[in-house]
Amino acid sequence: MPPVAAPDLHPLVRRLSEAGAWPSVETLEDAAHLDARDHLLFLPSHGKAHLESPDIAVVLPELVKALGGPEAIGIAIAGPKAETALRDTLSLALPAIVVLRAGQPVGAIARMRDWDEYLDKLRVLLAAPSAATH
């Protein structure tokens, strides 16, 4: 999946995608093509500059490291269509992080959070068989 081509995104978000390490999920169907790991899908708030998006872009790689590293957890960025579909399906405020398992949302965390809150909520979501949490 190519990087997210979105000039409206903050440079820190674009950098994550352009570095090649973060695949783009342009539609929910694309999520089914991610590898077998659980994934943290970043919904950066396309089309609306949001002050929290660059903060989450900086923190997210560190969260992945704290939760077992990229060997255990995949990371991706939602394109506008996938972001809209997930925002509507999960009733999310943006920006958000959605936990995907086998391409399906397990739950989500909306907006910027404190480090410990992120870790606690993400650990619960990653351990859960399935549950939508915001």
Side-chain angles (χ1 to χ4, degrees):
M1 289 171 255
V4 174
D8 61 325
L9 290 177
H10 189 280
L12 290 172
V13 177
R14 279 199 319 269
R15 184 183 70 186
L16 292 173
S17 177
E18 292 166 356
W22 294 46
S24 172
V25 174
E26 293 299 323
T27 66
L28 293 182
E29 292 77 26
D30 288 345
H33 301 291
L34 295 170
D35 61 50
R37 299 172 291 173
D38 286 350
H39 282 75
L40 301 183
L41 180 64
F42 181 27
L43 283 59
S45 188
H46 288 274
K48 179 182 174 192
H50 201 288
L51 295 175
E52 295 175 350
S53 294
D55 293 337
I56 295 172
V58 170
V59 170
L60 194 50
E62 299 306 316
L63 287 169
V64 169
K65 288 178 191 175
L67 293 165
E71 304 80 24
I73 302 167
I75 48 182
I77 299 175
K81 289 180 186 176
E83 179 178 87
T84 299
L86 286 165
R87 181 194 68 212
D88 294 347
T89 300
L90 300 174
S91 300
L92 289 173
L94 296 178
I97 299 169
V98 176
V99 175
L100 296 177
R101 181 168 297 130
Q104 297 298 312
V106 173
I109 302 172
R111 312 294 298 261
M112 185 67 189
R113 305 295 177 127
D114 290 331
W115 179 257
D116 290 335
E117 185 177 357
Y118 262 141
L119 285 179
D120 292 346
K121 288 185 177 209
L122 287 170
R123 284 182 179 129
V124 168
L125 290 173
L126 290 166
S130 65
T133 304
H134 310 292

